Amino acid sequence: MKIISVVGARPNFMKIGPFSEELLQYREQVEHILVHTGQHYDQNMSEDFFNSLKIREPDINLNVGSESHAQQTAQIMQCFEPVCIEHKPDWVVVVGDVNSTLACTLVAVKLGIKVAHIEAGLRSFDRSMPEEINRLVTDALADLLFTPSVDAGDNLLKEGVAPEKIHLVGNIMIDTLVSNLDQALDRLTHKSLGLKEKEFVYITLHRPNNVDNRDSLYAILKQLKRLSEAIPIVFPLHPRTRHRIKEFGWGKLLDSSSNKQKIFFTEPISYYDSICLAANSKLVITDSGGLQEETTYLGVPCLTLRPNTERPITISQGTNKLTDIESIEADIHTILNGRPFKTEVPPLWDGHTAKRIVKKLIEVT
Ligand code: UD1
């Protein structure tokens, strides 16, 4: 059996890591070709994740880089098609919801190659999010849909996906978290910034809806400045966010001497540093999908600066709450001054998801 698996952007790497490692157990039986589309290409957005998570080198890099959505998707398709034609895999395995996920799914199904989607069925019901389009199309086309939670399976059933294609396997990103947590905690990242456990807020923001619009980014930064007067903030900047801050003429903000070290703006950080900061922070504020899940697992309060989430289980069972610029101040106040509340880790977020996925793939082939 031959599998091509695909990664492209930062949130894909921690999902493919455990899958790729599990496949090693079956190396006699399964030939695995790992393709990196090159959607993310900066050292700290890509290579560092491969190194720290010990993911094996991709066999093929398509080197597509950043373009408009149409150009990026089209370029990935153009470059991925010859790879599929040459290698003739039994399965193309895609993860998550980035443009690489969509592009490679389209190529494979048009060549008659079966597609398995890991992290299928998540829905924000907000089609202004590029990821929602990617999720809808990928799931409509995939042959095997591996879901992280019950709600994801329900969404697929409502969309008319045949029940036999859907397999509840749990959250593969939690596999990575479980196996790397101790090493991540050993990093003591907050200490190297002079911060104490539970005495800082960890923030990540990169969604176009938050950072591409001048007014919304201004309002967010204004709130953060106020918050930083009460508690220090660590804010690693995604390249998109850094570009926008500079483009809108606020580059001086990034100079740490001008904000007296209350907001630590940094380059994008490693997986270990991110987990260490999340675990030790008093509160996480984010628009990332992954951090909503990681904070739920870690039991750390999370405010998601978005009108919706495709991961509602992090709200119903976990530590997540949606917020907006009008209510964020009150929400922060409640968390900073409130008592910790009891939450649950969702079923099958147990570190064994990759095992369940590989077993099923082998069984059905
Ligand atoms: C992509 C995913 C998003 C995911 C995010 C995580 C899509 C539609 N979006 O968004 O779901 O949450 O990755 O990081 O696939 N850039 C660099 N260096 C890089 C990569 C990007 O400088 O290594 C800059 C470029 O200016 C680029 C911009 O960031 O234009 C956006 O990159 P892109 O891959 O298009 O989307 P993300 O915003 O990263």
Side-chain angles (χ1 to χ4, degrees):
M1 166 170 155
K2 198 188 267 190
I3 294 178
I4 292 185
S5 68
V6 178
V7 289
R10 185 170 60 176
N12 291 163
F13 305 138
M14 40 286 217
K15 294 169 196 163
I16 218 69
F19 175 72
S20 170
E21 199 178 319
E22 178 63 16
L23 279 179
L24 289 177
Q25 309 285 331
Y26 299 86
R27 56 165 89 74
E28 306 291 308
Q29 235 172 305
V30 182
E31 184 187 345
H32 176 210
I33 299 168
L34 179 58
V35 172
H36 189 332
T37 65
Q39 178 175 344
H40 282 175
Y41 44 86
D42 283 357
Q43 163 113 11
N44 53 18
M45 294 292 284
S46 176
E47 207 178 314
D48 289 353
F49 283 78
F50 277 81
N51 295 339
S52 64
L53 296 175
K54 300 191 184 65
I55 306 171
R56 71 178 174 81
E57 287 273 300
D59 300 289
I60 298 166
N61 195 322
L62 308 179
N63 290 313
V64 294
S66 300
E67 295 289 350
S68 72
H69 281 261
Q71 285 170 323
Q72 190 177 59
T73 308
Q75 269 197 38
I76 298 169
M77 289 180 71
Q78 272 184 328
C79 298
F80 188 59
E81 186 178 50
V83 173
C84 286
I85 291 172
E86 182 189 339
H87 293 281
K88 297 183 183 56
D90 300 288
W91 288 97
V92 166
V93 176
V94 294
V95 296
D97 55 15
V98 302
N99 287 344
S100 303
T101 313
L102 166 73
C104 295
T105 299
L106 277 170
V107 168
V109 291
K110 290 208 171 201
L111 290 170
I113 299 165
K114 284 180 289 184
V115 171
H117 183 204
I118 301 179
E119 204 189 74
L122 298 183
R123 296 290 180 268
S124 66
F125 303 101
D126 173 1
R127 291 195 183 189
S128 72
M129 276 183 86
E131 294 80 5
E132 183 75 354
I133 310 294
N134 296 343
R135 290 188 282 261
L136 281 162
V137 178
T138 302
D139 287 343
L141 299 176
D143 299 274
L144 256 188
L145 298 108
F146 291 117
T147 56
S149 48
V150 174
D151 57 288
D154 291 345
N155 292 335
L156 294 171
L157 290 172
K158 279 186 210 138
E159 287 169 17
V161 176
E164 59 274 16
K165 288 184 175 180
I166 305 169
H167 300 278
L168 175 61
V169 289
N171 189 331
I172 197 157
M173 220 184 50
I174 301 300
D175 286 18
T176 302
L177 182 51
V178 168
S179 54
N180 290 283
L181 185 56
D182 287 346
Q183 275 158 288
L185 294 176
D186 284 348
R187 299 270 305 172
L188 300 175
T189 316
H190 52 301
K191 295 244 161 93
S192 64
L193 295 169
L195 299 171
K196 294 198 187 113
E197 207 176 307
K198 301 293 166 196
E199 290 186 13
F200 65 94
V201 174
Y202 173 37
I203 300 194
T204 78
L205 296 170
H206 71 284
R207 298 266 167 217
N209 286 350
N210 281 328
V211 306
D212 281 1
N213 176 288
R214 190 189 168 94
D215 292 343
S216 84
L217 187 56
Y218 181 77
I220 292 169
L221 291 173
K222 210 167 131 196
Q223 275 297 348
L224 295 187
K225 193 165 173 295
R226 281 164 73 109
L227 172 62
S228 74
E229 281 152 23
I231 185 165
I233 293 174
V234 186
F235 189 173
L237 292 173
H238 183 285
R240 176 191 283 280
T241 313
R242 183 177 290 276
H243 292 167
R244 294 294 175 258
I245 291 177
K246 288 192 177 154
E247 187 186 313
F248 297 147
W250 310 319
K252 219 167 156 263
L253 252 184
L254 305 178
D255 172 6
S256 51
S257 57
S258 75
N259 71 53
K260 302 199 185 64
Q261 298 289 339
K262 283 182 180 153
I263 306 186
F264 296 86
F265 290 107
T266 74
E267 289 298 316
I269 54 176
S270 72
Y271 176 77
Y272 285 166
D273 286 329
S274 181
I275 294 299
C276 184
L277 287 177
N280 286 295
S281 64
K282 175 87 179 164
L283 159 68
V284 171
I285 300 176
T286 193
D287 59 11
S288 138
L291 264 168
Q292 295 172 52
E293 299 179 335
E294 286 158 350
T295 46
T296 276
Y297 185 86
L298 295 166
V300 173
C302 177
L303 288 176
T304 296
L305 195 51
R306 282 179 41 191
N308 48 55
T309 178
E310 61 289 338
R311 294 162 162 89
I313 200 163
T314 61
I315 297 177
S316 59
Q317 294 193 20
T319 57
N320 193 18
K321 180 178 187 307
L322 298 181
T323 191
D324 57 28
I325 205 66
E326 279 77 42
S327 28
I328 195 167
E329 198 171 352
D331 284 337
I332 290 170
H333 186 267
T334 308
I335 291 171
L336 295 187
N337 299 295
R339 273 191 259 136
F341 47 99
K342 206 167 155 33
T343 57
E344 277 170 61
V345 175
L348 301 181
W349 291 24
D350 59 0
H352 301 296
T353 294
K355 272 192 190 340
R356 291 187 278 267
I357 290 173
V358 171
K359 199 164 159 253
K360 180 53 72 182
L361 262 176
I362 289 174
E363 201 180 293
V364 300
T365 305

